[in-house]
Amino acid sequence: MLSRPIRRLNIRQNIPSIKTRTYSSLNSPAAQNFTVNGDRLWNDIYHAAQYSAPNPTTTAGGLSRLSGTLYDKQARDWFASQVHSLGAKTYTINSTGSQFATFDFSAAMPDVPPIAMGSHLDSVATGGRFDGPLGVLGALEVVRSLKEQDVRTFAPIAVINWTNEEGARFFPPLGSSVVYAGQSSVSVAHESKANDGSGGTLGEALKGIGYVGDGPNTFQEFPLSAHFEIHVEQATTLEEAGKSVGWVTGWQGISVFEMVFKGEDGHANTYPMDSPHRRDSLLGASKVIVEIERLALTNNGYTTVTGIQSGPVGSCNIQSWTKIVFCLMHHESQKLFAMGEEIKARAQAQAKLGGLEMEVDRVMHLEPGEFWPEAVDCVKRACGNRGMGAKTLTAHDSTMTTLVCPTAMVFARGREGISHCAQEWTSKEDCAESAAVLGKAVLNYDEVLRKKYEG
Amino acid sequence: MLSRPIRRLNIRQNIPSIKTRTYSSLNSPAAQNFTVNGDRLWNDIYHAAQYSAPNPTTTAGGLSRLSGTLYDKQARDWFASQVHSLGAKTYTINSTGSQFATFDFSAAMPDVPPIAMGSHLDSVATGGRFDGPLGVLGALEVVRSLKEQDVRTFAPIAVINWTNEEGARFFPPLGSSVVYAGQSSVSVAHESKANDGSGGTLGEALKGIGYVGDGPNTFQEFPLSAHFEIHVEQATTLEEAGKSVGWVTGWQGISVFEMVFKGEDGHANTYPMDSPHRRDSLLGASKVIVEIERLALTNNGYTTVTGIQSGPVGSCNIQSWTKIVFCLMHHESQKLFAMGEEIKARAQAQAKLGGLEMEVDRVMHLEPGEFWPEAVDCVKRACGNRGMGAKTLTAHDSTMTTLVCPTAMVFARGREGISHCAQEWTSKEDCAESAAVLGKAVLNYDEVLRKKYEG
């Protein structure tokens, strides 16, 4: 599904034609005066964090809100109540559960596709309070502030909670935005399989919590003029430079592989140790896991083995099959590809040494890329001297929307690169700063859009 | 439970005193003439193999009959019908589900504790048809032949199907014979936990199939004069020497360890690769798995990692916890202990390098040992020149009964050491030979016993 290189798509046929592009080094007049209420956003972050499975992660101040669970439903229901109380003009749930709310703020051009602010409310099993929620709650705070400050926009504004961004419970990640961007289909997304091997699917889980709707699924059905997203940085660039926010210029590429080793059943206590008698798949896989770490270090990339399963289950058997899932990351497309080829060759060699069969499948691939300069520029101007440019090391819903519409991201400073962890942290001030930047960026883009339409 | 060194117990107070020990180099008169019906035994092996979960192992000619499953119940019910049709004098099921049948064959001394033949009908998840069943079905064939040939014995004869020998579904193994030998209790055995993490227990499973009975649980409640067991060799000593059977002189020691590595949650794509930021428990565990293999080679022992689990489940997380279960085997007690100490030290060093916490627990330990010479001698005489002496590399119900009564084992030749595998194989002729040896060994021991009592 995502296994072919993703390319920018050219399916913007429903959008009014765009004439010229003029950038300014200053914020638009509306953006210059825009502010947010940092206390209110912080309270939302704390309030929404209660929708979390009761487990050690939650106790430690983190978030455990897997997609399609009761806790996800609670957060979604709360999100719906918020957009309704903010006077959403439209509110829809699509077939993959994503929630879209639009606001027109007496928009001068209500038929222009909205400028969206979106991210995700789901988390990994042992996650933090900021990864995902800050993007959605920051968007709500922007809408609240636009309303309070009676800001008039050219285009309508949309707020989106994308489904299953994490892919933590059901693989693959970016579960709904990938369909939106035309890279997958609703039925394929519904068939996303549970990572815990329980046999469940995303479609069943969404149905179970009442979040399979009839709203728009694709860019063609619901075109956006642009998409902006706040996200915690998940690295240390901002922290080391003493900057509270950042404009995100692009992303690192990611390849995810499943690799299965097959050996032979055998008695754990008695089978001769010397090869080729023993064909121990777990031993072979372990040697490859060690190679996968080396691969990152020798290629100046990133690698992680994210899961392992082996069998047969029992206390007295050589493991005759072992499956590992791992991801390779690099900023350069060619090096990412080369890392994949290198580890396949190394694994093949290890398999041969251990008398194993090895099968490998690239189950997801995201080419490294750059966001739209005109959208990035809007974020850059909004950041001013409190920000800096940076790249994200991972995929986001915005790395999907950017395939179909101008997209950029706002980084909020994190701590020590800690992410997907209860100890993830962004200060109240940095959360507020990132929401202010999000709002200003949207208003900057609104100005760009107005000028484009006015020609 | 089994974590302390097992010692020979001295709890034979209910047995009439034993006066002298006289061995002969020949079989007893009854043993000399004893034969079995190899076709009938082979038919039983094929017939009983149908009681197996329908899966690829079964299709491949193996056995998948985990303890406490429906298939285990079917095999047990069939066993019960067999002993009843053979005219068992008593038939009982004990609290841990073991089935005991006694036959007196007009025994001259019906009050003398019986000479037992026992093994197990359960298998590992992906096992062969011979490991376990051959011991029980061979015993049934001996009883049939004794009856047909109208053999009169001094002591009664018992046939036993021991519960959960494999420990494949519920840990620990030797689930019932360990209680019989006074090394554990019924309640501890009932609490044996499912290896698949499902939370089930052996006690619940036995209750579920109606196999928690009120029969005797311990040697004190049901003393035996001796215990004999046929088992496939699971190594290549007999095959390489061209011998069809063997007398088993002793067993290799086994230590089973659980080792848990704890690191830190983190984002798979973004967390800095350089230590000490990343604390990847799966990477640390993999390095230790590689060390565990080396440990066997440098110590001339055996080692196997029999299971691995890690978390959190998801597609985008560094694994913050990993648990491995492994077993170390050696013929020498001191070397077995030293291997355990060495791997603990190496794992501790790896954990330190990776910024991990490591906890280790020895969850089972069986000292290497020797069977009772007077019982081994009976098997040796029964083997004659078709057999040879050998050691078993693993634990059996007999390594428990030998702690409380004279015990010895008969080996049947296997193929290439393949065991716990659908491809396990012992020929019809070797199965028949092993059953003949079992019967002769019992008759030889019956003669020894008669002489002891007669003084």
Side-chain angles (χ1 to χ4, degrees):
Chain A
M1 201 219 72
L2 276 171
S3 64
R4 62 187 188 282
I6 288 172
R7 64 228 174 266
R8 288 180 188 265
L9 302 180
N10 186 20
I11 48 174
R12 283 172 289 171
Q13 60 274 24
N14 295 334
I15 309 175
S17 64
I18 288 168
K19 291 173 188 162
T20 60
R21 299 184 181 194
T22 53
Y23 303 155
S24 158
S25 63
L26 296 173
N27 283 306
S28 71
Q32 281 173 33
N33 299 317
F34 181 74
T35 59
V36 298
N37 183 330
D39 288 332
R40 200 163 50 187
L41 173 57
W42 194 248
N43 285 344
D44 268 6
I45 291 169
Y46 269 72
H47 178 84
Q50 73 182 295
Y51 308 125
S52 174
N55 63 29
T57 296
T58 308
T59 309
L63 196 62
S64 182
R65 192 194 291 152
L66 292 167
S67 195
T69 58
L70 170 67
Y71 313 103
D72 184 27
K73 174 182 163 32
Q74 290 171 345
R76 289 162 174 276
D77 290 351
W78 177 84
F79 173 82
S81 73
Q82 292 298 301
V83 297
H84 284 309
S85 72
L86 285 168
K89 186 179 168 193
T90 67
Y91 169 71
T92 53
I93 300 164
N94 73 9
S95 303
T96 53
S98 286
Q99 297 169 283
F100 299 99
T102 63
F103 302 86
D104 75 1
F105 299 114
S106 307
M109 288 283 282
D111 295 334
V112 168
I115 300 171
M117 300 176 282
S119 197
H120 59 97
L121 289 174
D122 73 316
S123 82
V124 296
T126 55
R129 291 186 170 188
F130 303 91
D131 177 354
L134 177 59
V136 177
L137 306 181
L140 289 176
E141 177 52 31
V142 168
V143 170
R144 260 189 229 111
S145 299
L146 289 171
K147 199 176 168 188
E148 273 179 355
Q149 294 161 39
D150 199 23
V151 179
R152 308 287 159 164
T153 59
F154 173 75
I157 302 298
V159 177
I160 305 175
N161 172 32
W162 295 103
T163 293
N164 193 33
E165 193 267 355
E166 294 292 4
R169 185 177 175 206
F170 301 104
F171 190 85
L174 313 175
S176 183
S177 53
V178 72
V179 177
Y180 181 80
Q183 303 294 310
S184 184
S185 66
V186 169
S187 61
V188 168
H190 274 194
E191 286 159 18
S192 299
K193 293 281 183 302
N195 289 312
D196 67 1
S198 64
T201 64
L202 175 62
E204 289 162 10
L206 288 175
K207 208 169 171 186
I209 61 166
Y211 268 90
V212 177
D214 56 6
N217 294 305
T218 62
F219 177 80
Q220 287 92 333
E221 292 167 33
F222 183 60
L224 297 175
S225 285
H227 185 270
F228 291 92
E229 178 174 9
I230 310 175
H231 208 281
V232 287
E233 190 198 356
Q234 309 175 292
T236 56
T237 315
L238 272 54
E239 190 181 19
E240 284 168 12
K243 298 289 185 183
S244 65
V245 286
W247 56 92
V248 186
T249 57
W251 62 90
Q252 185 169 242
I254 303 172
S255 292
V256 181
F257 293 87
E258 277 185 11
M259 195 174 264
V260 177
F261 297 88
K262 286 184 187 158
E264 190 183 42
D265 287 317
H267 197 297
N269 305 146
T270 68
Y271 212 40
M273 287 303 295
D274 51 321
S275 214
H277 277 86
R278 278 196 176 221
R279 296 166 54 203
D280 183 333
S281 65
L282 179 53
L283 178 62
S286 297
K287 290 177 180 175
V288 173
I289 290 172
V290 176
E291 301 254 26
I292 289 171
E293 186 202 24
R294 277 190 212 127
L295 187 72
L297 306 178
T298 55
N299 287 276
N300 199 25
Y302 289 68
T303 63
T304 305
V305 182
T306 57
I308 188 166
Q309 291 175 292
S310 77
V313 170
S315 58
C316 203
N317 278 71
I318 293 164
Q319 297 294 276
S320 58
W321 67 267
T322 302
K323 173 182 158 181
I324 61 173
V325 180
F326 60 93
C327 49
L328 312 180
M329 283 70 64
H330 207 286
H331 281 297
E332 295 174 40
S333 176
Q334 282 187 328
K335 289 205 174 162
L336 180 59
F337 178 78
M339 282 168 75
E341 293 304 298
E342 186 177 338
I343 197 61
K344 280 191 264 183
R346 289 193 192 185
Q348 201 59 266
Q350 283 293 354
K352 196 173 174 188
L353 276 173
L356 307 171
E357 290 166 38
M358 189 277 280
E359 285 173 20
V360 61
D361 193 16
R362 193 175 73 174
V363 293
M364 191 182 126
H365 178 72
L366 179 69
E367 280 289 299
E370 303 288 325
F371 289 115
W372 293 51
E374 69 190 54
V376 173
D377 180 72
C378 291
V379 178
K380 184 178 178 181
R381 285 187 279 142
C383 286
N385 61 15
R386 282 192 290 275
M388 67 184 295
K391 282 202 173 188
T392 175
L393 302 175
T394 185
H396 304 278
D397 292 312
S398 286
T399 54
M400 286 295 111
T401 63
T402 198
L403 301 177
V404 288
C405 69
T407 296
M409 294 182 70
V410 181
F411 263 164
R413 174 167 49 188
R415 190 176 63 187
E416 296 173 21
I418 295 167
S419 177
H420 284 194
C421 179
Q423 281 70 45
E424 181 185 82
W425 182 254
T426 294
S427 72
K428 178 174 154 182
E429 293 70 26
D430 290 347
C431 286
E433 189 66 39
S434 70
V437 167
L438 177 68
K440 287 171 191 282
V442 165
L443 293 171
N444 284 338
Y445 197 81
D446 190 58
E447 178 75 359
V448 169
L449 209 57
R450 187 179 59 74
K451 288 183 180 166
K452 281 182 181 176
Y453 278 89
E454 290 173 359
Chain B
M1 197 222 72
L2 276 171
S3 64
R4 63 188 188 283
I6 288 171
R7 64 221 176 272
R8 287 179 189 265
L9 302 180
N10 187 17
I11 48 175
R12 284 173 288 169
Q13 61 273 25
N14 294 335
I15 309 175
S17 63
I18 288 170
K19 291 172 186 163
T20 60
R21 301 183 179 195
T22 54
Y23 304 155
S24 156
S25 62
L26 297 174
N27 283 304
S28 71
Q32 281 173 33
N33 299 316
F34 181 74
T35 58
V36 298
N37 183 331
D39 289 329
R40 199 163 51 187
L41 172 57
W42 194 247
N43 285 343
D44 268 5
I45 290 169
Y46 269 73
H47 178 84
Q50 73 180 296
Y51 308 124
S52 174
N55 63 27
T57 296
T58 307
T59 309
L63 197 62
S64 182
R65 193 193 290 151
L66 291 166
S67 196
T69 58
L70 168 68
Y71 313 103
D72 184 28
K73 174 182 162 33
Q74 290 171 343
R76 290 162 174 277
D77 290 352
W78 177 82
F79 173 82
S81 73
Q82 293 297 302
V83 298
H84 284 309
S85 73
L86 286 169
K89 185 179 170 192
T90 68
Y91 169 72
T92 54
I93 300 163
N94 74 9
S95 303
T96 53
S98 286
Q99 297 170 281
F100 298 99
T102 63
F103 302 85
D104 76 1
F105 299 113
S106 307
M109 288 283 283
D111 295 334
V112 169
I115 299 170
M117 299 176 284
S119 197
H120 59 97
L121 288 175
D122 74 317
S123 82
V124 295
T126 54
R129 292 186 168 188
F130 303 90
D131 178 353
L134 176 59
V136 177
L137 305 181
L140 289 176
E141 176 53 32
V142 168
V143 170
R144 261 188 228 110
S145 298
L146 288 171
K147 199 176 167 189
E148 274 179 354
Q149 293 161 38
D150 199 24
V151 178
R152 309 286 158 165
T153 59
F154 173 76
I157 302 298
V159 177
I160 306 175
N161 171 32
W162 295 103
T163 293
N164 192 33
E165 192 266 355
E166 294 291 4
R169 185 176 174 205
F170 302 105
F171 189 86
L174 313 176
S176 183
S177 54
V178 72
V179 177
Y180 180 81
Q183 303 294 311
S184 183
S185 67
V186 168
S187 61
V188 167
H190 274 194
E191 286 158 17
S192 299
K193 292 280 183 302
N195 288 314
D196 66 2
S198 64
T201 64
L202 175 63
E204 288 162 10
L206 288 175
K207 210 170 168 183
I209 61 165
Y211 269 90
V212 177
D214 57 5
N217 294 305
T218 61
F219 177 80
Q220 289 91 335
E221 291 167 34
F222 183 61
L224 297 174
S225 286
H227 184 270
F228 291 91
E229 178 175 9
I230 309 175
H231 208 281
V232 287
E233 191 199 355
Q234 309 174 294
T236 55
T237 316
L238 270 53
E239 189 181 20
E240 284 167 13
K243 297 289 185 181
S244 65
V245 286
W247 56 93
V248 187
T249 57
W251 62 90
Q252 186 169 242
I254 304 171
S255 291
V256 181
F257 293 87
E258 277 185 10
M259 193 173 267
V260 177
F261 297 88
K262 286 184 188 158
E264 190 182 40
D265 286 318
H267 198 297
N269 305 146
T270 68
Y271 211 40
M273 287 303 296
D274 50 320
S275 219
H277 277 87
R278 279 195 177 222
R279 295 165 55 203
D280 183 332
S281 65
L282 178 52
L283 178 62
S286 297
K287 291 178 178 174
V288 173
I289 290 172
V290 176
E291 301 255 25
I292 289 171
E293 187 201 25
R294 278 192 211 126
L295 187 73
L297 307 179
T298 55
N299 287 275
N300 199 24
Y302 288 69
T303 64
T304 305
V305 181
T306 57
I308 187 165
Q309 291 174 293
S310 78
V313 171
S315 58
C316 202
N317 279 71
I318 294 164
Q319 298 294 278
S320 57
W321 66 268
T322 302
K323 173 181 159 183
I324 60 174
V325 180
F326 60 92
C327 50
L328 312 181
M329 283 68 65
H330 207 286
H331 280 298
E332 295 174 39
S333 176
Q334 281 186 329
K335 290 204 173 164
L336 180 60
F337 178 78
M339 282 169 74
E341 293 305 297
E342 186 178 337
I343 197 61
K344 280 192 264 183
R346 289 191 191 186
Q348 201 61 265
Q350 283 292 356
K352 196 174 174 188
L353 276 172
L356 308 171
E357 292 167 36
M358 190 278 281
E359 284 173 19
V360 60
D361 193 16
R362 192 174 73 173
V363 293
M364 191 183 125
H365 178 72
L366 178 70
E367 281 287 301
E370 305 286 326
F371 289 114
W372 293 52
E374 70 189 54
V376 173
D377 181 72
C378 290
V379 178
K380 183 178 178 181
R381 285 187 279 144
C383 287
N385 60 15
R386 282 191 290 275
M388 67 183 293
K391 280 201 173 189
T392 175
L393 302 174
T394 185
H396 303 279
D397 291 312
S398 285
T399 54
M400 285 295 110
T401 63
T402 198
L403 302 175
V404 288
C405 69
T407 295
M409 293 181 73
V410 180
F411 263 164
R413 173 166 51 187
R415 190 177 64 187
E416 296 173 22
I418 296 168
S419 177
H420 285 194
C421 179
Q423 280 70 45
E424 181 184 83
W425 182 256
T426 294
S427 71
K428 177 174 155 182
E429 294 68 28
D430 289 347
C431 286
E433 188 67 41
S434 70
V437 168
L438 176 69
K440 288 173 191 279
V442 165
L443 293 171
N444 284 338
Y445 197 80
D446 189 59
E447 177 76 0
V448 169
L449 210 57
R450 185 180 61 74
K451 287 185 180 165
K452 281 180 180 177
Y453 279 88
E454 289 173 0

